[in-house]
Amino acid sequence: MHQQPIRYTFGGDEHLFAEVSESMSLPAFFRSLGMVKAIEKENISGILDICLANASFQVRFNPDEILPNDLLAIVKSLESSSLQEGQLDTRIVEIPVLYNDPWTYETLMRFRDRHQDPDSTDMEYAARINGHADTEAFIKAHSGSPWFVSMVGFVSGLPFMFQMVDQEHQIEVPKYLSPRTDTPKQTLGHGGCFGCIYSVRGAGGYQMFGVTPAPIYDPEQALSYLKESMVFFRAGDIVKFKPINRDEYDQMLIEVEKGLFTLKTQPFVFDLATYLANPDQYKKDMMEVLYVD
């Protein structure tokens, strides 16, 4: 497969930005991941941090320890030797979602003056512009295919997710015309072709489709699946959304408050070549792994 050249630019005195691709794709993500791992393996003096993104990465460095052009030369030299095997030790995660919940509905109604279509809800708008008959059909499309976490950031613990479907069936919606000043915690959002889960309450511009009862960021680390890290998601996670009703949501919230709630996860080795060869069968196999006891 032909790979386009990586585009490098400097940001200020301390950052080297590498654009692997102009658009998000799993091959672009894996190439970015391979470069990050190759740079980390070199243990280059002067590098302070490396941040992986959807189809790019950024290196923060100390210019007093390594000259910018010297760092650029080293990073460029790693392009041919970086990890390219396309395999990733990861996990599949089931996230329960109450679609069309009352809290995001109340919020979106407060901000209709900032929306493209003030006369419909966010989900009604998204369903219409994506060619779905109604919101039920939209929910089926949204939850019917797994999502790939390509980066975590913007605010603590927020995952950006790319739906694992062909481009023709990709859900795409614009962000609000101007951002809201409020978004409920654990809102399921979508902007462009990316989905996300708002880890904390705050401002936001993504369309809102529902909420999950599952905390994904907690500095107190009260739940068992957050003991290892206060941030749950990692780049490379594969997410399956499970629609739930209000009774199920309320019961899960009780379990969260008691410290008993947990998320269904399964370890998984994702193989890019096998996925690209037969995406539908590979996704089916992945979901069967999730529900193996």
Side-chain angles (χ1 to χ4, degrees), residues 124 127-128 130-138:
E124 289 169 345
R128 187 178 69 255
N130 282 277
H132 297 291
D134 51 32
T135 56
E136 289 303 313
F138 180 83

Side-chain angles (χ1 to χ4, degrees), residues 8-287:
Y8 296 96
T9 53
F10 287 105
D13 297 328
E14 300 180 346
H15 296 89
L16 173 64
F17 177 71
E19 183 183 60
V20 172
S21 173
E22 292 183 354
S23 60
M24 168 60 197
S25 68
L26 289 177
F29 169 83
F30 272 87
R31 192 179 185 198
S32 300
L33 176 66
M35 284 296 295
V36 168
K37 287 188 174 183
I39 296 168
E40 290 174 340
K41 187 177 179 180
E42 289 295 305
N43 196 26
I44 302 167
S45 178
I47 287 183
L48 304 175
D49 192 20
I50 309 173
C51 181
L52 176 66
N54 299 313
S56 61
F57 61 92
Q58 183 166 275
V59 182
R60 185 167 69 95
F61 62 95
N62 184 346
D64 292 331
E65 292 189 38
I66 184 168
L67 294 175
N69 286 331
D70 290 346
L71 173 62
L72 176 60
I74 295 173
V75 172
K76 280 186 173 181
S77 73
L78 298 174
E79 288 186 23
S80 60
S81 61
S82 63
L83 281 174
Q84 298 290 340
E85 79 275 11
Q87 285 194 337
L88 178 66
D89 287 323
T90 186
R91 58 188 175 172
I92 304 174
V93 183
E94 181 181 85
I95 297 293
V97 178
L98 177 62
Y99 289 93
N100 273 331
D101 67 284
W103 304 283
T104 58
Y105 178 78
E106 184 276 333
T107 302
L108 67 87
M109 291 305 292
R110 282 192 281 126
F111 293 96
R112 292 333 277 163
D113 61 328
R114 307 185 186 203
H115 196 271
Q116 292 85 352
D117 186 354
D119 295 326
S120 65
T121 66
D122 290 9
M123 190 182 294
E124 289 169 345
Y125 171 68
R128 187 178 69 255
I129 67 172
N130 282 277
H132 297 291
D134 51 32
T135 56
E136 289 303 313
F138 180 83
I139 291 171
K140 184 176 180 180
H142 189 276
S143 61
S145 185
W147 296 69
F148 192 90
V149 177
S150 54
M151 64 175 286
V152 180
F154 187 68
V155 297
S156 297
L158 184 150
F160 287 88
M161 295 171 283
F162 182 78
Q163 193 176 22
M164 299 173 73
V165 294
D166 58 86
Q167 188 171 0
E168 180 183 352
H169 296 95
Q170 197 81 44
I171 293 173
E172 294 189 30
V173 290
K175 295 187 288 186
Y176 274 44
L177 296 174
S178 60
R180 300 177 303 273
T181 56
D182 189 24
T183 306
K185 181 175 69 173
Q186 293 154 211
T187 288
L188 199 70
H190 199 99
C193 66
F194 285 101
C196 79
I197 301 174
Y198 285 82
S199 52
V200 296
R201 182 176 182 177
Y206 278 19
Q207 308 284 337
M208 299 180 290
F209 300 153
V211 292
T212 176
I216 59 170
Y217 168 71
D218 179 15
E220 297 182 3
Q221 299 176 261
L223 296 170
S224 60
Y225 63 86
L226 291 167
K227 293 298 184 184
E228 183 179 336
S229 171
M230 68 178 69
V231 171
F232 174 70
F233 280 108
R234 304 188 292 256
D237 280 344
I238 297 165
V239 176
K240 177 67 173 66
F241 293 119
K242 179 184 178 181
I244 59 174
N245 59 37
R246 178 63 188 270
D247 288 343
E248 292 172 312
Y249 177 87
D250 290 342
Q251 179 57 40
M252 290 178 185
L253 278 189
I254 292 172
E255 293 175 3
V256 169
E257 292 170 0
K258 292 181 177 180
L260 302 176
F261 181 80
T262 189
L263 285 171
K264 182 187 290 291
T265 65
Q266 286 285 359
F268 186 73
V269 178
F270 183 84
D271 186 278
L272 179 62
T274 306
Y275 170 78
L276 293 176
N278 192 340
D280 290 338
Q281 184 60 48
Y282 198 77
K283 287 185 288 187
K284 180 180 177 182
D285 294 342
M286 282 196 299
M287 294 306 98

